[in-house]
């Protein structure tokens, strides 16, 4: 069920091969996505209607739901469901609001003052995945920091259901976030629509949101071919669990399956200090998997997941940093001994009582995180993702006299005499 490797017996090449995921070696996904992007760029709304029929098997009358329609859809929720979404909303808002800080001005030398100020990105696009699971939690994770940042226009795209509508949970989140409309567009075509704009969808400055390999590929192509930025290449979800003898195999199995049920291309990795613990976890997987409503999906994800047996927690951390997981769970009572060794991870869950699910939904941290080893270079979404930080500087007469001679020398060194003169005309007065 879970293929097992012994870390000590693996060569460097074998480890490198093991940590690779979602590789499009033959460029098959790229080819499909490039065609979709080109079609949307050329045909606009017409392409989106066609793709809805082709990919979502639904014939749409229009490409969006307005505020009144969203309000009507949201009435289907039970009171306890609304309460759960409101608790998540409050916790996520509280955590992200703390990230919005005014920075101090710094006098780098007498008369020379420098500082940074935040400005929101004006138009942002939020992609809320649909597919095999509808994710109102992702809507909260993206919409809340966008609101806190003060973005002027928030464009939301999510795939339509078979009835041509969206889920009541997403509709209620739209109310919580005061979003005026949701565009009924999914997949790579949604990314293209937000990047180029269509008759119904506004062109945005930056696109946010996770998705499958087609969505991720569309985001990376858009970033390299347009002036539209992206949050990160957030693709199929993944978790890596580091566990020792203090861990509970039932908890480990539950955490692995929680990630596996996202989709067949998700990955769940166990790195354990004991082969016995791996065997016990596999036994728990066999017990827990069959009763899951999404057992078929989770089983396929487990097929290309694996376990690695290591000699110590330090060795486990070496492998984890190489893998650079989206989610890292330290299933050990000794987690404080190794947190300082974490170099590459999207979000970390500490101890046996901290399931990854709490971060997915309601603890407050953001669940839009880098996957496929992009945690080596990217952070998860935050308020910072929705703002630009502009630098300012102000010089007094004393300041230009103090710093001017040094700038003149540096300009001479680079042979940029106009740069020198811009200082000289001030210092020689």
């Amino acid at each position: 069920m879970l293929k097992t490797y012994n870390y000590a017996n693996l060569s460097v090449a074998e480890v490198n091969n093991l940590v690779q995921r979602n590789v499009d070696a033959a460029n098959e996904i790229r080819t499909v996505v490039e065609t979709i992007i080109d079609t949307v760029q050329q045909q606009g709304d017409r392409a989106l209607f066609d793709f809805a029929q082709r990919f979502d098997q639904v014939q749409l009358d229009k490409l969006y739901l307005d505020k009144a329609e969203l309000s009507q859809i949201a009435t289907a929720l039970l009171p306890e469901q609304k309460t759960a979404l409101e608790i998540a909303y409050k916790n996520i808002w509280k955590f992200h609001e703390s990230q919005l800080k005014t920075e101090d001005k710094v006098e780098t030398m007498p008369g020379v003052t420098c500082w940074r100020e935040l400005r929101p990105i004006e138009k942002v696009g939020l992609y809320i995945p649909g597919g095999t699971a509808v994710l109102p939690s992702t809507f909260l994770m993206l919409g809340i920091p966008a609101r806190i940042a003060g973005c002027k226009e928030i464009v939301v795209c999510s795939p339509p259901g078979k009835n041509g509508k969206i889920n009541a949970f997403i509709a209620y989140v739209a109310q919580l976030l005061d979003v005026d409309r949701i565009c009924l567009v999914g997949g790579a075509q949604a990314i293209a629509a937000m990047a180029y704009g269509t008759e119904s969808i506004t062109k945005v400055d930056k696109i946010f949101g996770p998705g499958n390999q087609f969505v991720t590929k569309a985001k990376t192509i858009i970033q390299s071919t347009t002036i539209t930025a992206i949050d990160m290449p957030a693709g199929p979800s993944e978790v890596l669990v580091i566990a020792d003898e203090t861990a509970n195999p039932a908890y480990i199995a539950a955490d692995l399956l929680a990630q596996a049920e996202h989709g067949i291309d998700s990955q769940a990795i166990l790195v354990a200090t004991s082969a016995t613990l791996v065997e016990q976890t596999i036994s728990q997987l066999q017990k827990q998997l069959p009763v899951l409503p999404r057992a078929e999906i989770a089983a396929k994800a487990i097929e290309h997941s694996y376990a690695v047996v290591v000699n110590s927690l330090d060795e486990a951390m070496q492998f984890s940093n190489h893998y650079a997981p989206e989610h890292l769970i330290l299933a050990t009572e000794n987690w404080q001994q190794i947190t300082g060794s974490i170099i590459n991870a999207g979000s970390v869950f500490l101890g046996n009582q901290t399931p990854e699910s709490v971060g997915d939904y309601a603890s407050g941290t953001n669940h839009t995180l880098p996957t496929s080893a992009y945690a080596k270079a990217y952070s998860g979404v935050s308020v910072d993702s929705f703002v630009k930080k502009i630098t300012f500087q102000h010089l007094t007469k004393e300041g230009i006299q103090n710093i001017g001679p040094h700038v003149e020398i540096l300009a001479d060194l680079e042979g940029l005499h106009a740069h020198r003169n811009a200082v000289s005309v001030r210092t020689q007065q």
Side-chain angles (χ1 to χ4, degrees), residues 145-369:
R147 281 292 181 219
I148 292 172
C151 300
K152 289 184 178 178
E153 187 164 0
I154 300 174
V155 176
V156 182
C157 286
S158 192
K162 300 302 181 185
N163 62 353
K165 307 292 183 182
I166 51 97
N167 187 280
F169 299 105
I170 289 181
Y172 188 64
V173 172
Q175 287 187 301
L176 291 175
L177 294 169
D178 194 27
V179 168
D180 291 332
R181 62 158 64 178
I182 293 180
C183 301
L184 300 168
V185 188
Q189 58 271 29
I191 306 303
M194 291 188 284
Y196 290 105
T198 72
E199 296 89 334
S200 297
I201 298 177
T202 302
K203 180 187 183 308
V204 302
D205 302 311
K206 189 173 182 179
I207 297 172
F208 296 79
N212 60 22
Q213 293 185 63
F214 292 89
V215 169
T216 302
K217 185 65 69 174
K219 288 171 68 178
T220 56
I221 292 172
I222 288 300
Q223 181 173 240
S224 63
T225 57
T226 73
I227 59 170
T228 303
I230 65 170
D231 52 354
M232 72 192 80
S237 199
E238 60 199 34
V239 67
L240 187 147
V241 179
I242 290 178
D244 65 7
E245 68 280 355
T246 66
N248 185 319
Y251 294 177
I252 298 171
D255 289 334
L256 295 175
L257 290 172
Q259 209 60 46
E261 74 171 351
H262 269 295
I264 60 173
D265 49 4
S266 296
Q267 195 169 57
I269 309 302
L270 171 60
V271 183
T273 58
S274 160
T276 300
L277 181 58
V278 173
E279 292 169 4
Q280 292 171 338
T281 301
I282 290 174
S283 178
Q284 284 293 326
L285 286 171
Q286 292 169 336
K287 289 180 182 178
Q288 295 180 29
L289 178 60
V291 300
L292 294 175
R294 294 168 66 84
E296 186 176 351
I297 290 172
K300 289 180 179 178
I302 291 295
E303 283 177 11
H304 61 259
S305 300
Y306 55 85
V308 179
V309 178
V310 295
N311 292 319
S312 66
L313 289 175
D314 288 338
E315 200 170 77
M317 190 56 66
Q318 287 177 19
F319 183 86
S320 176
N321 282 327
H322 194 27
Y323 185 91
E326 176 190 19
H327 305 99
L328 172 61
I329 298 175
L330 302 187
T332 169
E333 293 176 6
N334 306 309
W335 55 267
Q336 289 176 313
Q337 297 176 13
I338 57 174
T339 52
S341 301
I342 299 170
I343 300 172
N344 303 317
S347 191
V348 184
F349 303 81
L350 304 171
N352 293 313
Q353 300 302 322
T354 314
E356 183 269 330
S357 303
V358 299
D360 264 355
Y361 291 110
S363 65
T365 61
N366 207 290
H367 79 200
T368 308
L369 303 163

Side-chain angles (χ1 to χ4, degrees), residues 403-416:
I403 201 171
H406 307 294
V407 174
E408 289 174 321
I409 291 171
L410 294 171
D412 278 341
L413 288 173
E414 295 189 352
L416 299 176

